[in-house]
Amino acid sequence: MVDGKDSLPAIIPKEKWTRKLDFLLSLAGYSVGLGNLWRFPYLCNRNGGGAFLIPFITFLILCGLPLFFLELSVGQFSGKSALHVWKVSPLFVGIGVSMNVVSGMCALYYNVIIAWTLYYLGNSFLPKLPWTSCDNAWNTPTCFSLDECLANQRKANKSAMTRNTSEAFGEMYTTSQNVYNNVLLSNDSWSNVNQLNVTAPDSTVCNYTAGKGGLTAAEEFWQYNMLQMSSGVTDVGNIQWHLLLCFMGAWLLIFLCLMKGVKSLGKVVYVTATIPYLLLTIILIRGVTLPGSYEGIIFYLKPDFTKLLHPQVWIEAGSQVFYSLGPAWGLLIVMSSHNKFTNNCLRDAVLITFLGEGTSLYGGFAIFSVLGYMAQKAGVPVSEVVKSGPGLGFIAYPEALTTLPLPQLWNILFFLMLLTVGLDTQFGMTEIICGTVLESFPRKLAKRRTLVTAAICGGFFILGLPLTTSAGVYYFQLMDWYSTSFGLPLIGFVECVVFAWIYGTDRLSDDISMMIGRRPPQFFTICWKFVTPVLLFTTLVSAFVSYQAPTYDKYTYPVGAIAAGWLIGMMSVVPIPIFVVYKFFRASGPFIKRFIQTKKPSADWGPAESLPRDSDFSEIKDPLNRTGELSVSSPSATSIAIDDCPQNGVTVHSKFLSEQSYIS
């Protein structure tokens, strides 16, 4: 008898989603991040407008969707975290370590964006928005404001119109023979007056480029009030207490939403994953009714097919799909591990993939409709108000919203949308770490979920304190620049190689068939083996070839900071080769045997649903009755009993056992 009771770890029941919709909303919230709103529209506009959709959709179908489906499948099949799922091939457990490193680093600095959003959201309730004027304590003499520029222009236009009208009447009074003695003006004279009114300066247009050579009020609020920026990375300055409190509040929000695991998260996402679509739609409806919005949308989507001849356009399309959709971070594995075993993960992958990236396109209309209106108000081309990243979210867009009636309302809606979008992404990255810790110490920590979550959130808060200093924005950009640029494409590439070539697409397809009742379409196996790895490797190579050192505005990072950035980038890469070497030398035997032994699935790799819940082993009777061979289709067979066993024994065939076992 083969008995695995003593060798198996204690089985802790895997927490499941309460409802299928909980999982879908959590997945949608994670897949729709800030990059969908403030990076995709900018890239689309810069790389050919509507023509950019061709490489974008190509990469989405050939790279994004297959990798997304792969991670959902293996997570749901195994029921394991991003670290322990690599029992499928212990030699490559470093991939799981790298996933946790990437997610941990990004969770560390990403939450400061939520802190910034909370600060702007709080200021949006003030009677006068502080980023609309230049009469604040932090403003410089060279500050200029779009709001004040428009007000001054209206006064100047009104004065000019009054003066010109008076001059016209005076001229008509002295030259027209029909004025004197209360005789009516001739029709020609009234036409002159009407023509004067029509051609008078437009009181709603401001020459925004005729500033004082300084920063706008919105830029000065960002730099001199909220960030209170220092001169560089070496000038740390003081902790900004307003940012510290917002940063603490951001981590408190994360803790409260994750303290009960998927049970609490599944309830929160009904708000955080749906509100962004509602608010985005409200902003879009208001945006398209504004003058100039049409020019903004045309500027956003006007196709330039000549751009498709440039390789950089295709590279940026692939990068955007990869970074916005979210594979290789480990969260897709973690979230799907809480699914019911028979959940249709293929349908979920297709739905969320196109929903998430469709949101990018949809959000672009809301962004550029308002930017087109702002450009018309400022009297400049749309290209001069278009920004990407935090420059769009915290400078250009709030500034545009201040020109609308009820600016407080529109700013509140906008920052509330940013908050909910950011929270969903942060939930995912933090949950990866929580899931790994809990699964690594199941006996000690399984019933201490709240304490573990509090410790992790508190640890990240302490580690992130430098981000709340005067030099915090420099540290933020350095981490954002290097933490994922090289690690994510490499993780995705090795992930495809392991599952498609080492574990094998045949076994992977069998696993998927066990869950959804049919093997995946041949399209996915071809992508997993050939297309997706090639595209990911190309993305990785292009990241090195097109590398440029980061800058912030006119500030250039010193050599020491660049070296620290490369160290951050390598932290997500080096675990893979380190653990390959470690696992190889821990194995025994000749070279080839070590490789074979470490690359094959471990003894406890198998489908999660069949794992025993109330006992350490189960027995399977021989269904073939003395045929001499037994195929075990259930991984729960840690102890096998065979009635009337032949004298020569029985050969057990099972992909769930470490090797063939002979029973006598």
Side-chain angles (χ1 to χ4, degrees):
M1 177 176 291
V2 177
D3 193 280
K5 177 177 179 180
D6 295 334
S7 61
L8 290 178
I11 306 277
I12 304 297
K14 189 75 173 182
E15 194 176 26
K16 299 295 182 183
W17 296 102
T18 305
R19 289 171 292 272
K20 171 66 177 290
L21 189 57
D22 298 0
F23 167 69
L24 291 178
L25 289 177
S26 298
L27 209 57
Y30 169 71
S31 299
V32 179
L34 293 172
N36 296 71
L37 298 179
W38 66 27
R39 188 170 185 267
F40 173 82
Y42 172 77
L43 289 179
C44 187
N45 163 252
R46 190 178 72 178
N47 292 301
F52 181 72
L53 297 179
I54 295 176
F56 180 76
I57 294 175
T58 300
F59 272 91
L60 181 65
I61 295 175
L62 298 180
C63 183
L65 177 59
L67 202 56
F68 199 90
F69 177 41
L70 172 65
E71 294 198 358
L72 288 188
S73 300
V74 299
Q76 181 174 306
F77 177 79
S78 65
K80 299 184 184 300
S81 67
L83 178 63
H84 295 88
V85 76
W86 296 102
K87 291 181 178 180
V88 67
S89 184
L91 185 65
F92 295 96
V93 70
I95 302 177
V97 177
S98 292
M99 286 180 169
N100 279 268
V101 171
V102 169
S103 298
M105 286 193 299
C106 290
L108 180 64
Y109 75 82
Y110 191 90
N111 218 26
V112 79
I113 300 179
I114 298 178
W116 297 341
T117 305
L118 287 174
Y119 185 70
Y120 269 82
L121 181 61
N123 279 277
S124 297
F125 287 92
L126 296 177
K128 182 179 180 181
L129 296 175
W131 50 85
T132 61
S133 63
C134 293
D135 56 358
N136 303 287
W138 60 82
N139 290 127
T140 65
T142 58
C143 169
F144 62 100
S145 164
L146 174 60
D147 196 41
E148 294 176 351
C149 181
L150 289 172
N152 293 334
Q153 189 67 34
R154 282 192 290 267
K155 292 180 181 178
N157 291 341
K158 184 177 180 180
S159 176
M161 183 179 295
T162 302
R163 183 177 64 255
N164 293 338
T165 304
S166 299
E167 292 174 356
F169 270 107
E171 182 179 352
M172 284 182 280
Y173 181 82
T174 56
T175 59
S176 176
Q177 298 178 355
N178 297 324
V179 168
Y180 194 66
N181 292 330
N182 296 323
V183 178
L184 293 176
L185 290 173
S186 67
N187 291 333
D188 292 338
S189 298
W190 280 112
S191 298
N192 290 337
V193 176
N194 289 333
Q195 183 180 6
L196 173 64
N197 289 333
V198 170
T199 58
D202 187 355
S203 63
T204 63
V205 176
C206 170
N207 186 5
Y208 199 42
T209 58
K212 303 176 183 178
L215 300 176
T216 66
E219 290 171 328
E220 291 203 350
F221 177 82
W222 163 259
Q223 292 192 15
Y224 303 144
N225 177 270
M226 191 189 74
L227 297 178
Q228 298 187 26
M229 294 172 55
S230 65
S231 59
V233 292
T234 57
D235 183 12
V236 179
N238 300 319
I239 287 181
Q240 306 303 316
W241 292 103
H242 59 286
L243 285 183
L244 178 66
L245 293 176
C246 291
F247 193 53
M248 183 185 300
W251 276 115
L252 181 60
L253 281 174
I254 300 300
F255 165 70
L256 293 175
C257 295
L258 294 181
M259 60 186 295
K260 298 297 182 182
V262 297
K263 299 297 182 183
S264 57
L265 179 59
K267 295 179 176 62
V268 172
V269 292
Y270 279 86
V271 177
T272 58
T274 56
I275 279 185
Y277 289 97
L278 175 62
L279 299 181
L280 195 62
T281 301
I282 293 174
I283 293 174
L284 174 61
I285 293 174
R286 181 66 180 110
V288 296
T289 62
L290 297 171
S293 61
Y294 178 76
E295 286 75 11
I297 293 174
I298 292 298
F299 185 79
Y300 168 42
L301 288 180
K302 184 178 180 180
D304 181 5
F305 292 101
T306 60
K307 293 279 190 178
L308 300 181
L309 301 177
H310 302 289
Q312 187 64 26
V313 173
W314 292 81
I315 292 171
E316 292 196 355
S319 299
Q320 176 62 17
V321 167
F322 192 74
Y323 294 122
S324 65
L325 197 57
W329 296 77
L331 178 70
L332 302 179
I333 297 174
V334 172
M335 284 191 170
S336 60
S337 70
H338 298 283
N339 276 340
K340 294 181 179 178
F341 187 74
T342 55
N343 175 63
N344 192 335
C345 51
L346 173 58
R347 181 178 56 198
D348 296 344
V350 175
L351 173 65
I352 300 301
T353 294
F354 287 96
L355 175 66
E357 299 313 306
T359 304
S360 300
L361 183 63
Y362 182 65
F365 287 98
I367 297 296
F368 273 86
S369 62
V370 176
L371 291 182
Y373 163 72
M374 178 185 177
Q376 186 185 83
K377 279 279 189 181
V380 298
V382 180
S383 59
E384 293 193 21
V385 298
V386 173
K387 298 180 186 297
S388 177
L392 173 64
F394 296 106
I395 298 176
Y397 211 76
E399 190 174 33
L401 294 176
T402 59
T403 62
L404 298 176
L406 301 175
Q408 284 83 356
L409 173 64
W410 294 109
N411 275 275
I412 289 171
L413 293 178
F414 175 69
F415 288 115
L416 188 60
M417 180 184 68
L418 287 189
L419 176 64
T420 52
V421 169
L423 282 175
D424 282 330
T425 303
Q426 186 68 17
F427 290 156
M429 292 185 293
T430 309
E431 179 60 23
I432 295 172
I433 309 301
C434 293
T436 297
V437 172
L438 290 169
E439 196 167 317
S440 298
F441 307 97
R443 294 191 181 189
K444 296 180 179 180
L445 302 179
K447 296 182 179 180
R448 295 179 173 86
R449 166 77 202 208
T450 302
L451 182 61
V452 170
T453 305
I456 291 174
C457 292
F460 275 128
F461 168 72
I462 294 173
L463 291 174
L465 288 179
L467 296 170
T468 65
T469 65
S470 298
V473 69
Y474 299 112
Y475 304 145
F476 168 85
Q477 189 183 34
L478 199 65
M479 296 181 70
D480 185 53
W481 194 273
Y482 287 99
S483 60
T484 61
S485 299
F486 311 109
L488 286 180
L490 179 63
I491 292 171
F493 172 77
V494 180
E495 188 176 26
C496 284
V497 171
V498 171
F499 280 101
W501 292 97
I502 297 178
Y503 186 66
T505 53
D506 287 338
R507 285 201 285 186
L508 181 60
S509 298
D510 288 340
D511 297 342
I512 294 173
S513 177
M514 194 183 303
M515 294 185 293
I516 67 176
R518 60 188 177 92
R519 295 168 68 88
Q522 193 68 23
F523 163 79
F524 287 101
T525 58
I526 294 174
C527 286
W528 289 332
K529 295 186 73 171
F530 304 106
V531 182
T532 305
V534 170
L535 292 178
L536 289 173
F537 185 75
T538 302
T539 303
L540 177 62
V541 172
S542 67
F544 281 101
V545 172
S546 60
Y547 165 78
Q548 292 181 342
T551 58
Y552 186 90
D553 197 12
K554 298 179 181 180
Y555 175 75
T556 301
Y557 283 82
V559 176
I562 300 297
W566 277 105
L567 180 61
I568 292 173
M570 291 300 103
M571 286 174 61
S572 62
V573 173
V574 294
I576 299 177
I578 287 177
F579 277 90
V580 166
V581 174
Y582 172 76
K583 287 290 184 179
F584 184 82
F585 282 100
R586 280 290 302 272
S588 58
F591 181 89
I592 299 299
K593 184 179 179 180
R594 290 186 183 188
F595 177 73
I596 295 175
Q597 183 181 2
T598 54
K599 77 176 183 63
K600 68 182 180 180
S602 61
D604 53 345
W605 167 259
E609 189 73 11
S610 301
L611 288 174
R613 297 302 183 205
D614 53 3
S615 62
D616 289 335
F617 65 94
S618 61
E619 296 184 352
I620 296 181
K621 304 297 183 180
D622 180 10
L624 302 180
N625 193 15
R626 298 188 61 188
T627 59
E629 293 191 0
L630 174 65
S631 293
V632 180
S633 59
S634 172
S636 60
T638 57
S639 178
I640 304 172
I642 302 176
D643 291 339
D644 198 12
C645 182
Q647 292 182 353
N648 295 331
V650 174
T651 301
V652 179
H653 299 281
S654 173
K655 64 181 178 181
F656 307 113
L657 301 178
S658 58
E659 57 187 18
Q660 291 184 350
S661 304
Y662 296 91
I663 305 174
S664 57

